[in-house]
Amino acid sequence: MESQAGDGVKYIPVSSDIPHLLQSCKIRQPIPDNPTAAWKRFTKRTASRNQLKTALHARQQGLCAYCEITLENTEDQNIGSHVDHILPKENHQALTFDYDNLVLSCFATGGEIKADEKDPAPVSCGHAQLKRTNNFDESLFIKPTDSDCERYFSFELDGEAIAHPNLDSSDIDKAKHTLKVLNINCLRLKRLREDTITQLYQIVTELQDDSDALKRFLMLELQETKSFINARKQHVG
């Protein structure tokens, strides 16, 4: 199958429909002196926190902005979600309450899945070590709000996310850096993606002699609310 652009980060369109409690806070504190303290005060309020997470959940169609897992995943354990600053507020105080710098990422705290010998680094996305500690090169980091972000990535049958083979060398560096920062190729995510891709191919094969059933199946499986939607589109779209 011809290689198409896939996900590594999922495109999240910018929006003018900003939650009003967030907008009010931004007006009051356009550039907070202490962004960490200011953000904690905002999220400590249940109404503010819930309104923002609800808006982000709808904007992202229920998927993590980085790995595209469904945020209500309860098959093995519900790892929850948190609001993540795409670019760190500590370095960009003016972006502390900027809606376009905020996304919903999987993992509530990062402690929901413990490392072990089989998977030494299972935490990904906003709570991955390099992302959480702001230890990355912003000039190489591909943001979910970049309109062309999905073109940088492709998927192998074993679930590994790679730099798209059609990229030039500078864009390959960006893709590789972003995948590393977000730990998109942790064993946990690779296995989940591989299982998804394998199951899709199995069912497509079973339905290949029934075009109507196959069409209905693909319509359901290629909805934008499905986990790993870009990997799905790449392989069976």
Side-chain angles (χ1 to χ4, degrees):
M1 178 174 292
E2 180 181 357
S3 181
Q4 302 173 14
D7 63 312
V9 293
K10 186 183 190 309
Y11 174 53
I12 306 299
V14 295
S15 174
S16 59
D17 188 17
I18 304 172
H20 73 270
L21 293 176
L22 178 71
Q23 182 68 1
S24 297
C25 203
K26 182 178 181 180
I27 292 172
R28 293 194 305 271
Q29 303 177 81
I31 307 179
D33 293 332
N34 187 331
T36 299
W39 183 251
K40 285 183 178 180
R41 287 194 297 271
F42 174 79
T43 55
K44 186 177 181 180
R45 302 184 184 95
T46 301
S48 300
R49 182 177 65 253
N50 289 348
Q51 184 186 80
L52 176 58
K53 292 190 74 171
T54 298
L56 290 173
H57 189 279
R59 186 173 69 161
Q60 297 171 206
Q61 296 182 295
L63 302 180
C64 172
Y66 299 124
C67 72
E68 295 191 358
I69 195 171
T70 52
L71 294 173
E72 286 76 27
N73 177 36
T74 56
E75 293 180 3
D76 297 317
Q77 62 183 127
N78 185 4
I79 60 177
S81 63
H82 73 282
V83 177
D84 188 62
H85 287 79
I86 300 172
L87 295 180
K89 60 186 178 299
E90 292 80 7
N91 300 339
H92 304 272
Q93 290 94 326
L95 298 180
T96 301
F97 299 108
D98 189 325
Y99 191 46
D100 294 335
N101 191 48
L102 301 173
V103 292
L104 207 56
S105 171
C106 59
F107 285 102
T109 67
E112 288 79 9
I113 299 179
K114 302 300 181 182
D116 56 32
E117 293 181 358
K118 294 182 179 179
D119 195 350
V123 179
S124 66
C125 305
H127 276 309
Q129 184 176 4
L130 295 178
K131 183 66 169 68
R132 177 176 52 81
T133 59
N134 304 329
N135 187 18
F136 64 96
D137 186 337
E138 294 178 15
S139 69
L140 295 177
F141 187 71
I142 301 166
K143 301 188 294 295
T145 49
D146 293 338
S147 60
D148 64 344
C149 63
E150 293 175 358
R151 75 176 180 87
Y152 287 86
F153 309 98
S154 185
F155 281 93
E156 302 288 80
L157 288 171
D158 65 357
E160 182 180 6
I162 62 172
H164 195 279
N166 293 342
L167 297 176
D168 60 29
S169 59
S170 62
D171 284 345
I172 287 174
D173 290 340
K174 289 182 179 180
K176 288 183 176 179
H177 184 69
T178 302
L179 292 172
K180 180 179 179 181
V181 169
L182 298 172
N183 199 24
I184 293 296
N185 280 320
C186 65
L187 293 179
R188 175 183 59 84
L189 285 176
K190 282 185 64 177
R191 289 167 182 155
L192 288 172
R193 286 192 296 261
E194 181 181 17
D195 287 347
T196 297
I197 294 167
T198 299
Q199 290 170 11
L200 283 173
Y201 275 120
Q202 288 176 343
I203 297 175
V204 167
T205 299
E206 292 170 1
L207 297 177
Q208 63 182 344
D209 295 327
D210 188 338
S211 59
D212 288 339
L214 178 58
K215 183 178 180 179
R216 289 194 297 271
F217 170 74
L218 291 178
M219 286 181 62
L220 291 172
E221 292 301 311
L222 297 178
Q223 295 181 67
E224 293 296 327
T225 55
K226 287 287 187 176
S227 62
F228 310 126
I229 180 56
N230 280 304
R232 291 169 183 264
K233 288 178 179 178
Q234 175 187 328
H235 285 277
V236 300

Short mmCIF file of all heavy atoms in Angstrom, two decimals, residues 22-85:
data_model
loop_
_atom_site.label_atom_id
_atom_site.label_comp_id
_atom_site.label_asym_id
_atom_site.label_seq_id
_atom_site.Cartn_x
_atom_site.Cartn_y
_atom_site.Cartn_z
N LEU A 22 -11.75 30.94 30.70
CA LEU A 22 -10.35 31.05 30.29
C LEU A 22 -10.07 32.42 29.71
O LEU A 22 -9.06 33.05 30.03
CB LEU A 22 -10.02 29.96 29.26
CG LEU A 22 -8.60 29.98 28.71
CD1 LEU A 22 -7.60 29.53 29.77
CD2 LEU A 22 -8.49 29.09 27.47
N GLN A 23 -10.96 32.89 28.86
CA GLN A 23 -10.77 34.20 28.24
C GLN A 23 -10.76 35.31 29.28
O GLN A 23 -9.95 36.24 29.21
CB GLN A 23 -11.87 34.45 27.21
CG GLN A 23 -11.76 35.77 26.46
CD GLN A 23 -10.57 35.84 25.54
OE1 GLN A 23 -9.81 34.88 25.43
NE2 GLN A 23 -10.38 36.98 24.90
N SER A 24 -11.63 35.20 30.26
CA SER A 24 -11.67 36.22 31.32
C SER A 24 -10.36 36.24 32.09
O SER A 24 -9.84 37.31 32.44
CB SER A 24 -12.83 35.93 32.28
OG SER A 24 -14.06 36.02 31.61
N CYS A 25 -9.81 35.06 32.36
CA CYS A 25 -8.55 34.97 33.07
C CYS A 25 -7.42 35.55 32.24
O CYS A 25 -6.53 36.23 32.76
CB CYS A 25 -8.26 33.52 33.43
SG CYS A 25 -7.14 33.30 34.82
N LYS A 26 -7.45 35.31 30.95
CA LYS A 26 -6.41 35.84 30.07
C LYS A 26 -6.46 37.36 30.01
O LYS A 26 -5.42 38.03 29.98
CB LYS A 26 -6.56 35.26 28.67
CG LYS A 26 -5.49 35.72 27.70
CD LYS A 26 -5.65 35.09 26.33
CE LYS A 26 -4.55 35.56 25.39
NZ LYS A 26 -4.69 34.95 24.04
N ILE A 27 -7.65 37.92 30.02
CA ILE A 27 -7.80 39.37 30.00
C ILE A 27 -7.25 39.98 31.28
O ILE A 27 -6.57 41.02 31.26
CB ILE A 27 -9.28 39.75 29.79
CG1 ILE A 27 -9.73 39.37 28.38
CG2 ILE A 27 -9.50 41.25 30.03
CD1 ILE A 27 -11.21 39.53 28.14
N ARG A 28 -7.52 39.31 32.40
CA ARG A 28 -7.04 39.82 33.68
C ARG A 28 -5.52 39.65 33.83
O ARG A 28 -4.86 40.49 34.45
CB ARG A 28 -7.74 39.09 34.84
CG ARG A 28 -9.22 39.39 34.96
CD ARG A 28 -9.74 38.93 36.32
NE ARG A 28 -9.45 37.53 36.58
CZ ARG A 28 -10.24 36.52 36.24
NH1 ARG A 28 -11.38 36.76 35.60
NH2 ARG A 28 -9.92 35.26 36.52
N GLN A 29 -5.00 38.56 33.26
CA GLN A 29 -3.57 38.26 33.41
C GLN A 29 -2.97 37.91 32.05
O GLN A 29 -2.66 36.75 31.78
CB GLN A 29 -3.37 37.09 34.37
CG GLN A 29 -3.96 37.28 35.74
CD GLN A 29 -3.77 36.04 36.60
OE1 GLN A 29 -2.71 35.82 37.17
NE2 GLN A 29 -4.80 35.22 36.67
N PRO A 30 -2.79 38.88 31.18
CA PRO A 30 -2.27 38.57 29.84
C PRO A 30 -0.86 37.99 29.87
O PRO A 30 -0.53 37.12 29.06
CB PRO A 30 -2.31 39.92 29.13
CG PRO A 30 -2.34 40.94 30.23
CD PRO A 30 -3.09 40.31 31.34
N ILE A 31 -0.04 38.46 30.81
CA ILE A 31 1.31 37.93 30.96
C ILE A 31 1.59 37.77 32.46
O ILE A 31 2.16 38.66 33.11
CB ILE A 31 2.37 38.84 30.32
CG1 ILE A 31 2.01 39.14 28.86
CG2 ILE A 31 3.75 38.18 30.39
CD1 ILE A 31 2.99 40.07 28.17
N PRO A 32 1.18 36.66 33.05
CA PRO A 32 1.35 36.50 34.50
C PRO A 32 2.83 36.43 34.89
O PRO A 32 3.64 35.83 34.19
CB PRO A 32 0.65 35.17 34.79
CG PRO A 32 0.60 34.46 33.49
CD PRO A 32 0.51 35.50 32.44
N ASP A 33 3.16 37.09 36.03
CA ASP A 33 4.54 37.06 36.51
C ASP A 33 4.97 35.65 36.90
O ASP A 33 6.11 35.26 36.68
CB ASP A 33 4.68 38.00 37.72
CG ASP A 33 4.49 39.46 37.34
OD1 ASP A 33 4.79 39.80 36.18
OD2 ASP A 33 4.06 40.24 38.20
N ASN A 34 4.05 34.91 37.49
CA ASN A 34 4.32 33.54 37.89
C ASN A 34 3.30 32.64 37.19
O ASN A 34 2.22 32.37 37.73
CB ASN A 34 4.20 33.39 39.40
CG ASN A 34 4.64 32.03 39.90
OD1 ASN A 34 4.53 31.04 39.18
ND2 ASN A 34 5.14 31.97 41.13
N PRO A 35 3.61 32.17 35.98
CA PRO A 35 2.62 31.41 35.22
C PRO A 35 2.19 30.10 35.88
O PRO A 35 1.03 29.71 35.77
CB PRO A 35 3.32 31.15 33.88
CG PRO A 35 4.77 31.32 34.17
CD PRO A 35 4.86 32.35 35.24
N THR A 36 3.10 29.46 36.60
CA THR A 36 2.75 28.20 37.25
C THR A 36 1.72 28.43 38.34
O THR A 36 0.71 27.72 38.43
CB THR A 36 4.01 27.54 37.85
OG1 THR A 36 4.93 27.25 36.80
CG2 THR A 36 3.64 26.26 38.58
N ALA A 37 1.94 29.45 39.16
CA ALA A 37 0.98 29.77 40.22
C ALA A 37 -0.35 30.23 39.65
O ALA A 37 -1.42 29.86 40.14
CB ALA A 37 1.57 30.83 41.14
N ALA A 38 -0.29 31.04 38.60
CA ALA A 38 -1.52 31.55 37.98
C ALA A 38 -2.33 30.41 37.39
O ALA A 38 -3.56 30.37 37.51
CB ALA A 38 -1.16 32.57 36.90
N TRP A 39 -1.65 29.46 36.76
CA TRP A 39 -2.35 28.33 36.17
C TRP A 39 -2.96 27.44 37.24
O TRP A 39 -4.08 26.95 37.08
CB TRP A 39 -1.40 27.53 35.29
CG TRP A 39 -2.07 26.39 34.59
CD1 TRP A 39 -1.92 25.06 34.84
CD2 TRP A 39 -3.01 26.49 33.52
NE1 TRP A 39 -2.70 24.32 33.98
CE2 TRP A 39 -3.38 25.17 33.16
CE3 TRP A 39 -3.57 27.56 32.82
CZ2 TRP A 39 -4.31 24.91 32.15
CZ3 TRP A 39 -4.48 27.30 31.80
CH2 TRP A 39 -4.84 25.99 31.49
N LYS A 40 -2.27 27.24 38.34
CA LYS A 40 -2.80 26.43 39.43
C LYS A 40 -4.05 27.06 40.02
O LYS A 40 -5.02 26.36 40.35
CB LYS A 40 -1.74 26.24 40.52
CG LYS A 40 -0.65 25.24 40.15
CD LYS A 40 0.32 25.05 41.30
CE LYS A 40 1.39 24.03 40.95
NZ LYS A 40 2.37 23.83 42.06
N ARG A 41 -4.06 28.37 40.15
CA ARG A 41 -5.25 29.05 40.67
C ARG A 41 -6.44 28.85 39.72
O ARG A 41 -7.57 28.63 40.16
CB ARG A 41 -4.97 30.54 40.86
CG ARG A 41 -4.08 30.86 42.06
CD ARG A 41 -4.13 32.35 42.39
NE ARG A 41 -3.61 33.17 41.29
CZ ARG A 41 -2.33 33.50 41.14
NH1 ARG A 41 -1.43 33.08 42.03
NH2 ARG A 41 -1.93 34.26 40.13
N PHE A 42 -6.16 28.93 38.43
CA PHE A 42 -7.24 28.76 37.45
C PHE A 42 -7.80 27.35 37.48
O PHE A 42 -9.02 27.14 37.53
CB PHE A 42 -6.72 29.10 36.05
CG PHE A 42 -7.71 28.82 34.95
CD1 PHE A 42 -8.75 29.70 34.69
CD2 PHE A 42 -7.59 27.68 34.16
CE1 PHE A 42 -9.67 29.45 33.69
CE2 PHE A 42 -8.51 27.41 33.15
CZ PHE A 42 -9.55 28.30 32.92
N THR A 43 -6.94 26.35 37.44
CA THR A 43 -7.40 24.97 37.37
C THR A 43 -7.92 24.45 38.70
O THR A 43 -8.60 23.42 38.75
CB THR A 43 -6.27 24.05 36.87
OG1 THR A 43 -5.12 24.19 37.71
CG2 THR A 43 -5.91 24.40 35.43
N LYS A 44 -7.61 25.15 39.78
CA LYS A 44 -8.13 24.74 41.09
C LYS A 44 -9.63 24.93 41.16
O LYS A 44 -10.33 24.22 41.89
CB LYS A 44 -7.43 25.54 42.20
CG LYS A 44 -7.79 25.10 43.60
CD LYS A 44 -7.00 25.88 44.65
CE LYS A 44 -7.34 25.43 46.05
NZ LYS A 44 -6.56 26.19 47.07
N ARG A 45 -10.14 25.87 40.39
CA ARG A 45 -11.58 26.12 40.35
C ARG A 45 -12.25 25.06 39.48
O ARG A 45 -11.95 24.94 38.29
CB ARG A 45 -11.87 27.51 39.82
CG ARG A 45 -11.23 28.64 40.62
CD ARG A 45 -11.67 30.00 40.07
NE ARG A 45 -11.00 31.09 40.75
CZ ARG A 45 -9.89 31.68 40.30
NH1 ARG A 45 -9.35 31.26 39.16
NH2 ARG A 45 -9.34 32.67 40.96
N THR A 46 -13.15 24.31 40.07
CA THR A 46 -13.79 23.20 39.35
C THR A 46 -14.48 23.66 38.08
O THR A 46 -14.37 23.02 37.02
CB THR A 46 -14.79 22.49 40.26
OG1 THR A 46 -14.11 22.01 41.43
CG2 THR A 46 -15.45 21.32 39.55
N ALA A 47 -15.19 24.78 38.17
CA ALA A 47 -15.93 25.27 37.00
C ALA A 47 -14.99 25.62 35.86
O ALA A 47 -15.24 25.28 34.70
CB ALA A 47 -16.77 26.49 37.38
N SER A 48 -13.88 26.28 36.17
CA SER A 48 -12.91 26.65 35.14
C SER A 48 -12.29 25.42 34.50
O SER A 48 -12.19 25.30 33.28
CB SER A 48 -11.81 27.53 35.74
OG SER A 48 -12.34 28.71 36.30
N ARG A 49 -11.86 24.50 35.35
CA ARG A 49 -11.20 23.28 34.87
C ARG A 49 -12.15 22.45 34.00
O ARG A 49 -11.78 22.01 32.90
CB ARG A 49 -10.71 22.46 36.05
CG ARG A 49 -9.96 21.20 35.66
CD ARG A 49 -9.45 20.46 36.89
NE ARG A 49 -10.51 19.96 37.74
CZ ARG A 49 -10.84 20.48 38.92
NH1 ARG A 49 -10.17 21.52 39.42
NH2 ARG A 49 -11.82 19.95 39.65
N ASN A 50 -13.37 22.25 34.47
CA ASN A 50 -14.31 21.42 33.74
C ASN A 50 -14.73 22.06 32.42
O ASN A 50 -14.88 21.37 31.40
CB ASN A 50 -15.55 21.14 34.60
CG ASN A 50 -15.25 20.19 35.74
OD1 ASN A 50 -14.19 19.56 35.78
ND2 ASN A 50 -16.16 20.07 36.68
N GLN A 51 -14.94 23.37 32.45
CA GLN A 51 -15.33 24.05 31.21
C GLN A 51 -14.25 23.93 30.15
O GLN A 51 -14.52 23.66 28.97
CB GLN A 51 -15.63 25.52 31.48
CG GLN A 51 -16.15 26.27 30.25
CD GLN A 51 -16.30 27.76 30.52
OE1 GLN A 51 -15.33 28.51 30.50
NE2 GLN A 51 -17.54 28.19 30.80
N LEU A 52 -13.00 24.12 30.55
CA LEU A 52 -11.89 24.04 29.61
C LEU A 52 -11.74 22.62 29.07
O LEU A 52 -11.58 22.42 27.86
CB LEU A 52 -10.59 24.49 30.28
CG LEU A 52 -9.33 24.37 29.44
CD1 LEU A 52 -9.46 25.16 28.14
CD2 LEU A 52 -8.12 24.84 30.25
N LYS A 53 -11.76 21.62 29.94
CA LYS A 53 -11.58 20.24 29.49
C LYS A 53 -12.72 19.80 28.56
O LYS A 53 -12.49 19.08 27.59
CB LYS A 53 -11.47 19.29 30.68
CG LYS A 53 -10.21 19.49 31.51
CD LYS A 53 -10.00 18.39 32.55
CE LYS A 53 -9.55 17.09 31.92
NZ LYS A 53 -9.14 16.08 32.92
N THR A 54 -13.93 20.25 28.85
CA THR A 54 -15.07 19.92 28.00
C THR A 54 -14.89 20.52 26.61
O THR A 54 -15.14 19.86 25.59
CB THR A 54 -16.38 20.42 28.62
OG1 THR A 54 -16.60 19.75 29.88
CG2 THR A 54 -17.56 20.15 27.71
N ALA A 55 -14.43 21.76 26.56
CA ALA A 55 -14.23 22.43 25.27
C ALA A 55 -13.11 21.75 24.48
O ALA A 55 -13.24 21.53 23.27
CB ALA A 55 -13.91 23.90 25.49
N LEU A 56 -12.02 21.42 25.14
CA LEU A 56 -10.91 20.76 24.46
C LEU A 56 -11.30 19.36 23.98
O LEU A 56 -10.92 18.94 22.89
CB LEU A 56 -9.69 20.68 25.38
CG LEU A 56 -9.00 22.01 25.69
CD1 LEU A 56 -7.92 21.80 26.75
CD2 LEU A 56 -8.38 22.62 24.43
N HIS A 57 -12.06 18.66 24.80
CA HIS A 57 -12.51 17.32 24.43
C HIS A 57 -13.32 17.37 23.14
O HIS A 57 -13.14 16.54 22.23
CB HIS A 57 -13.33 16.72 25.57
CG HIS A 57 -13.67 15.28 25.40
ND1 HIS A 57 -14.71 14.85 24.61
CD2 HIS A 57 -13.11 14.15 25.91
CE1 HIS A 57 -14.79 13.53 24.65
NE2 HIS A 57 -13.82 13.08 25.42
N ALA A 58 -14.20 18.35 23.04
CA ALA A 58 -15.02 18.50 21.84
C ALA A 58 -14.16 18.90 20.64
O ALA A 58 -14.33 18.36 19.53
CB ALA A 58 -16.12 19.53 22.07
N ARG A 59 -13.23 19.83 20.84
CA ARG A 59 -12.38 20.29 19.74
C ARG A 59 -11.52 19.15 19.20
O ARG A 59 -11.26 19.07 18.01
CB ARG A 59 -11.49 21.45 20.23
CG ARG A 59 -10.66 22.08 19.11
CD ARG A 59 -9.91 23.32 19.56
NE ARG A 59 -8.84 23.02 20.48
CZ ARG A 59 -7.81 23.87 20.72
NH1 ARG A 59 -7.76 25.04 20.12
NH2 ARG A 59 -6.88 23.53 21.58
N GLN A 60 -11.09 18.25 20.08
CA GLN A 60 -10.23 17.14 19.68
C GLN A 60 -11.01 15.87 19.36
O GLN A 60 -10.41 14.82 19.13
CB GLN A 60 -9.22 16.86 20.80
CG GLN A 60 -8.29 18.04 21.04
CD GLN A 60 -7.43 17.90 22.27
OE1 GLN A 60 -7.00 18.87 22.87
NE2 GLN A 60 -7.13 16.66 22.69
N GLN A 61 -12.32 15.96 19.40
CA GLN A 61 -13.19 14.82 19.09
C GLN A 61 -12.88 13.60 19.97
O GLN A 61 -12.93 12.45 19.52
CB GLN A 61 -13.12 14.47 17.61
CG GLN A 61 -13.64 15.61 16.74
CD GLN A 61 -13.63 15.31 15.26
OE1 GLN A 61 -12.56 15.14 14.68
NE2 GLN A 61 -14.80 15.23 14.66
N GLY A 62 -12.54 13.89 21.21
CA GLY A 62 -12.36 12.83 22.20
C GLY A 62 -11.04 12.10 22.15
O GLY A 62 -10.87 11.10 22.84
N LEU A 63 -10.08 12.61 21.36
CA LEU A 63 -8.79 11.93 21.23
C LEU A 63 -7.67 12.75 21.85
O LEU A 63 -7.71 13.98 21.85
CB LEU A 63 -8.47 11.69 19.75
CG LEU A 63 -9.47 10.88 18.94
CD1 LEU A 63 -8.98 10.75 17.51
CD2 LEU A 63 -9.71 9.51 19.57
N CYS A 64 -6.65 12.06 22.35
CA CYS A 64 -5.44 12.74 22.81
C CYS A 64 -4.83 13.49 21.63
O CYS A 64 -4.72 12.94 20.53
CB CYS A 64 -4.45 11.73 23.37
SG CYS A 64 -2.82 12.43 23.76
N ALA A 65 -4.40 14.71 21.85
CA ALA A 65 -3.85 15.53 20.78
C ALA A 65 -2.54 14.99 20.24
O ALA A 65 -2.13 15.33 19.12
CB ALA A 65 -3.64 16.96 21.27
N TYR A 66 -1.87 14.15 21.00
CA TYR A 66 -0.55 13.68 20.61
C TYR A 66 -0.57 12.25 20.05
O TYR A 66 -0.10 12.01 18.95
CB TYR A 66 0.41 13.76 21.79
CG TYR A 66 0.61 15.16 22.32
CD1 TYR A 66 0.36 15.47 23.65
CD2 TYR A 66 1.06 16.18 21.49
CE1 TYR A 66 0.55 16.75 24.15
CE2 TYR A 66 1.25 17.47 21.98
CZ TYR A 66 1.00 17.76 23.31
OH TYR A 66 1.19 19.03 23.80
N CYS A 67 -1.10 11.31 20.79
CA CYS A 67 -1.04 9.90 20.35
C CYS A 67 -2.33 9.41 19.73
O CYS A 67 -2.37 8.33 19.16
CB CYS A 67 -0.66 9.00 21.51
SG CYS A 67 -1.96 8.78 22.75
N GLU A 68 -3.41 10.16 19.85
CA GLU A 68 -4.71 9.83 19.27
C GLU A 68 -5.42 8.67 19.95
O GLU A 68 -6.33 8.07 19.38
CB GLU A 68 -4.61 9.54 17.77
CG GLU A 68 -4.19 10.73 16.95
CD GLU A 68 -4.35 10.50 15.45
OE1 GLU A 68 -4.75 9.39 15.06
OE2 GLU A 68 -4.06 11.41 14.69
N ILE A 69 -5.05 8.35 21.16
CA ILE A 69 -5.82 7.34 21.89
C ILE A 69 -7.11 7.99 22.37
O ILE A 69 -7.18 9.19 22.63
CB ILE A 69 -5.01 6.79 23.09
CG1 ILE A 69 -5.63 5.50 23.62
CG2 ILE A 69 -4.88 7.83 24.20
CD1 ILE A 69 -4.78 4.80 24.66
N THR A 70 -8.18 7.19 22.47
CA THR A 70 -9.42 7.73 22.99
C THR A 70 -9.25 8.04 24.47
O THR A 70 -8.71 7.23 25.22
CB THR A 70 -10.59 6.73 22.80
OG1 THR A 70 -10.21 5.47 23.34
CG2 THR A 70 -10.93 6.57 21.34
N LEU A 71 -9.70 9.19 24.88
CA LEU A 71 -9.47 9.63 26.25
C LEU A 71 -10.39 8.95 27.26
O LEU A 71 -10.19 9.11 28.46
CB LEU A 71 -9.64 11.16 26.34
CG LEU A 71 -8.58 11.93 25.57
CD1 LEU A 71 -8.90 13.42 25.54
CD2 LEU A 71 -7.19 11.71 26.16
N GLU A 72 -11.36 8.17 26.78
CA GLU A 72 -12.21 7.41 27.70
C GLU A 72 -11.83 5.94 27.68
O GLU A 72 -12.65 5.07 27.92
CB GLU A 72 -13.70 7.57 27.33
CG GLU A 72 -14.29 8.91 27.70
CD GLU A 72 -13.85 10.00 26.75
OE1 GLU A 72 -13.54 9.70 25.58
OE2 GLU A 72 -13.79 11.16 27.17
N ASN A 73 -10.59 5.65 27.36
CA ASN A 73 -10.15 4.26 27.27
C ASN A 73 -10.30 3.55 28.62
O ASN A 73 -9.68 3.93 29.60
CB ASN A 73 -8.69 4.19 26.82
CG ASN A 73 -8.17 2.78 26.78
OD1 ASN A 73 -8.90 1.86 26.43
ND2 ASN A 73 -6.92 2.59 27.16
N THR A 74 -11.12 2.52 28.65
CA THR A 74 -11.32 1.78 29.91
C THR A 74 -11.10 0.28 29.71
O THR A 74 -11.46 -0.51 30.58
CB THR A 74 -12.75 2.00 30.46
OG1 THR A 74 -13.70 1.62 29.44
CG2 THR A 74 -12.98 3.46 30.81
N GLU A 75 -10.52 -0.10 28.56
CA GLU A 75 -10.34 -1.52 28.29
C GLU A 75 -9.39 -2.17 29.29
O GLU A 75 -9.65 -3.23 29.82
CB GLU A 75 -9.83 -1.72 26.86
CG GLU A 75 -10.86 -1.33 25.80
CD GLU A 75 -10.32 -1.54 24.40
OE1 GLU A 75 -9.18 -2.03 24.27
OE2 GLU A 75 -11.05 -1.23 23.44
N ASP A 76 -8.25 -1.52 29.52
CA ASP A 76 -7.30 -2.04 30.49
C ASP A 76 -7.34 -1.22 31.77
O ASP A 76 -7.54 -1.73 32.85
CB ASP A 76 -5.88 -2.04 29.90
CG ASP A 76 -5.77 -2.95 28.69
OD1 ASP A 76 -6.32 -4.06 28.76
OD2 ASP A 76 -5.18 -2.55 27.70
N GLN A 77 -7.15 0.06 31.63
CA GLN A 77 -7.29 0.96 32.77
C GLN A 77 -7.47 2.37 32.23
O GLN A 77 -6.98 2.71 31.16
CB GLN A 77 -6.05 0.90 33.67
CG GLN A 77 -4.76 1.32 33.00
CD GLN A 77 -3.57 1.17 33.91
OE1 GLN A 77 -2.60 0.55 33.56
NE2 GLN A 77 -3.63 1.76 35.08
N ASN A 78 -8.21 3.14 32.95
CA ASN A 78 -8.47 4.51 32.51
C ASN A 78 -7.33 5.39 33.01
O ASN A 78 -7.21 5.67 34.20
CB ASN A 78 -9.81 5.00 33.07
CG ASN A 78 -10.17 6.37 32.54
OD1 ASN A 78 -9.46 6.93 31.70
ND2 ASN A 78 -11.26 6.92 33.03
N ILE A 79 -6.48 5.83 32.08
CA ILE A 79 -5.33 6.64 32.48
C ILE A 79 -5.67 8.11 32.60
O ILE A 79 -4.84 8.91 33.03
CB ILE A 79 -4.15 6.45 31.51
CG1 ILE A 79 -4.54 6.85 30.08
CG2 ILE A 79 -3.67 5.00 31.54
CD1 ILE A 79 -3.39 6.74 29.09
N GLY A 80 -6.91 8.48 32.23
CA GLY A 80 -7.34 9.86 32.42
C GLY A 80 -6.73 10.82 31.43
O GLY A 80 -6.16 10.44 30.41
N SER A 81 -6.84 12.10 31.75
CA SER A 81 -6.34 13.14 30.85
C SER A 81 -5.98 14.39 31.64
O SER A 81 -6.37 14.54 32.79
CB SER A 81 -7.39 13.48 29.79
OG SER A 81 -8.55 14.02 30.40
N HIS A 82 -5.21 15.25 31.02
CA HIS A 82 -4.86 16.53 31.64
C HIS A 82 -4.73 17.57 30.54
O HIS A 82 -4.55 17.25 29.36
CB HIS A 82 -3.56 16.43 32.42
CG HIS A 82 -2.33 16.33 31.56
ND1 HIS A 82 -1.96 15.16 30.93
CD2 HIS A 82 -1.40 17.24 31.20
CE1 HIS A 82 -0.85 15.34 30.23
NE2 HIS A 82 -0.50 16.61 30.37
N VAL A 83 -4.83 18.83 30.92
CA VAL A 83 -4.62 19.93 29.98
C VAL A 83 -3.13 20.20 29.88
O VAL A 83 -2.45 20.40 30.89
CB VAL A 83 -5.37 21.20 30.43
CG1 VAL A 83 -5.08 22.36 29.46
CG2 VAL A 83 -6.87 20.93 30.51
N ASP A 84 -2.62 20.20 28.67
CA ASP A 84 -1.19 20.37 28.44
C ASP A 84 -0.93 21.65 27.67
O ASP A 84 -1.66 21.98 26.73
CB ASP A 84 -0.63 19.18 27.65
CG ASP A 84 0.88 19.21 27.56
OD1 ASP A 84 1.53 19.15 28.63
OD2 ASP A 84 1.42 19.31 26.45
N HIS A 85 0.11 22.38 28.08
CA HIS A 85 0.58 23.52 27.30
C HIS A 85 1.52 23.01 26.21
O HIS A 85 2.52 22.36 26.51
CB HIS A 85 1.33 24.51 28.20
CG HIS A 85 0.44 25.28 29.12
ND1 HIS A 85 -0.07 24.75 30.29
CD2 HIS A 85 -0.04 26.55 29.04
CE1 HIS A 85 -0.82 25.65 30.89
NE2 HIS A 85 -0.83 26.76 30.14
#
